Amino acid sequence: MPDHGLIDGFERPTALPASAAEAERWQEANRQWWESHPMEYDWSGTATGARGTPAFYERIDQAFLTAAQTFLPARERAFDQLIPYGELPTMDVLEIGIGSGTHAALIAAHARTFTGIDLTAQAVANTQGRFTILGLDGDLRQMDAERLDFPDSTFDFVWSWGVLHHSANTPQILAEIRRVLRPGGRAVVMVYHRSFWGYFVMSGLIRGLLTGDLLRTRSLHRTVQRGTDGALARYYSPREWRSLAATQGLPVERLRICGDKPEMIPLPSGRIKTAILAALPDAVSRFFLNRLRQGSFLIASHRR
């Protein structure tokens, strides 16, 4: 995962911009970062296969869905603990932050209508390429989720995986989600979780000492930000997220914590860590990261 400096003014894990000008600067930094680092699950930069080919999408799905199976095992279809596949044929669905289209393809294949937006042109192009190959229909647009260009009460279901915490103003997106949801509509979102193990120990202390960032920054927050994705990334406690969502009129129905299996092992990527992970049962990592709530994914279900 690429390192970067801390964006000016973002000094706390859930900080918000102090002015409209700062918000605009943060959002432009976000757009530029993700245009340069599209969500293609190739942190090493060594993947082969031309962008937009079937092999390109197969590699992305293999990396992402294999990892997801360890922390959120599918019953029949990927992410079926969260995505209401049986109800999708009657739903107009919005996805915020389409990346390279893995979730978009899963949802669009079943939904009555599918709309996907992203802050970057690259994500829209990647997802459009996937839809063309698979023959899927969908309305894919470059759009800022803080200013959704849709009428009130347009969608029955909103999905967003790992996106809202990167935006300049996360509360504004929640307000927009509520606005475009129909009465009784639902939203499922994943944001980053500020857990003791994942945030303070793994991302802060251990990574900071191994890379020297903690000595250079003399700040846990700055150290975590230098190692995460995006121009900025907020990390929430469950209490903070429940309170934030409630203030935007989108109360939490259910909240769960999950974690990617590599979060268990405090070692840099390499053969030793790979061997340990292969020997470690998925059930053990799920117990520690999910049941004990030490993982880095906070997944919340909301209803308008």
Side-chain angles (χ1 to χ4, degrees), residues 193-210 214 220 223-224 263-267 288 294:
H193 175 224
R194 197 168 73 250
S195 69
F196 174 76
W197 177 256
Y199 183 87
F200 292 99
V201 177
M202 287 287 286
S203 297
L205 182 61
I206 293 177
R207 183 194 165 276
L209 292 175
L210 288 174
L214 194 55
L220 189 75
T223 296
V224 171
E263 296 175 35
M264 283 280 295
I265 310 301
L267 293 172
F288 181 74
Q294 294 303 308

Side-chain angles (χ1 to χ4, degrees), residues 13 18-19 30 43 67 76 78-79 82 99 103 120-121 140 144 177 185 199 204 221 227 231 273 285 287-288:
S19 66
N30 280 324
W43 306 120
E76 296 180 3
F79 287 88
L82 303 173
H103 285 134
T120 69
L140 308 177
D144 187 338
I177 290 174
Y199 183 87
H221 168 67
K273 184 169 184 173
S285 64
F287 177 79
F288 181 74

Side-chain angles (χ1 to χ4, degrees), residues 232-247:
L232 62 88
R234 294 185 182 85
Y235 287 77
Y236 292 92
S237 71
R239 178 178 295 180
E240 288 170 338
W241 187 256
R242 287 183 183 277
S243 176
L244 176 62
T247 63

Side-chain angles (χ1 to χ4, degrees), residues 55-290:
F56 168 77
Y57 298 110
E58 289 169 8
R59 175 186 60 75
I60 291 171
D61 292 352
Q62 175 68 19
F64 178 52
L65 296 179
T66 299
Q69 184 66 16
T70 67
F71 63 81
L72 203 66
R75 300 184 179 102
E76 296 180 3
R77 299 188 183 101
F79 287 88
D80 57 6
Q81 294 190 48
L82 303 173
I83 298 172
Y85 285 104
E87 301 172 56
L88 289 182
T90 66
M91 287 180 164
D92 298 312
V93 180
L94 170 67
E95 181 179 5
I96 296 175
I98 50 179
S100 290
T102 298
H103 285 134
L106 291 173
I107 295 170
H110 301 277
R112 177 168 60 191
T113 66
F114 176 83
T115 302
I117 69 163
D118 201 281
L119 190 61
T120 69
Q122 185 61 64
V124 174
N126 278 352
T127 303
Q128 185 60 68
R130 181 192 289 269
F131 274 40
T132 298
I133 289 171
L134 297 177
L136 292 172
D137 292 325
D139 181 5
L140 308 177
R141 308 188 198 181
Q142 185 177 4
M143 187 183 298
D144 187 338
E146 295 181 15
R147 297 181 291 275
L148 292 175
D149 189 18
F150 305 111
D152 295 357
S153 303
T154 299
F155 301 102
D156 302 291
F157 183 63
V158 174
W159 171 266
S160 185
W161 185 265
V163 176
L164 274 60
H165 51 256
H166 290 302
S167 196
N169 192 328
T170 299
Q172 178 60 29
I173 300 184
L174 288 173
E176 282 290 270
I177 290 174
R178 184 190 185 281
R179 182 183 67 79
V180 301
L181 272 175
R182 293 177 177 134
R186 285 177 287 161
V188 175
V189 304
M190 184 276 277
V191 294
Y192 286 162
H193 175 224
R194 197 168 73 250
S195 69
F196 174 76
W197 177 256
Y199 183 87
F200 292 99
V201 177
M202 287 287 286
S203 297
L205 182 61
I206 293 177
R207 183 194 165 276
L209 292 175
L210 288 174
T211 63
D213 275 352
L214 194 55
L215 296 176
R216 286 191 291 269
T217 66
R218 298 183 180 277
S219 163
L220 189 75
H221 168 67
R222 289 174 176 266
T223 296
V224 171
Q225 288 299 307
R226 280 181 55 80
T228 194
D229 54 350
L232 62 88
R234 294 185 182 85
Y235 287 77
Y236 292 92
S237 71
R239 178 178 295 180
E240 288 170 338
W241 187 256
R242 287 183 183 277
S243 176
L244 176 62
T247 63
Q248 301 305 319
L250 206 63
V252 172
E253 280 195 316
R254 182 182 181 187
L255 187 150
R256 70 176 83 189
I257 305 298
C258 294
D260 202 2
K261 191 175 180 181
E263 296 175 35
M264 283 280 295
I265 310 301
L267 293 172
S269 298
R271 287 183 295 178
I272 294 176
K273 184 169 184 173
T274 299
I276 295 173
L277 290 171
L280 182 72
D282 293 348
V284 173
S285 64
R286 284 197 295 272
F287 177 79
F288 181 74
L289 298 172
N290 298 8

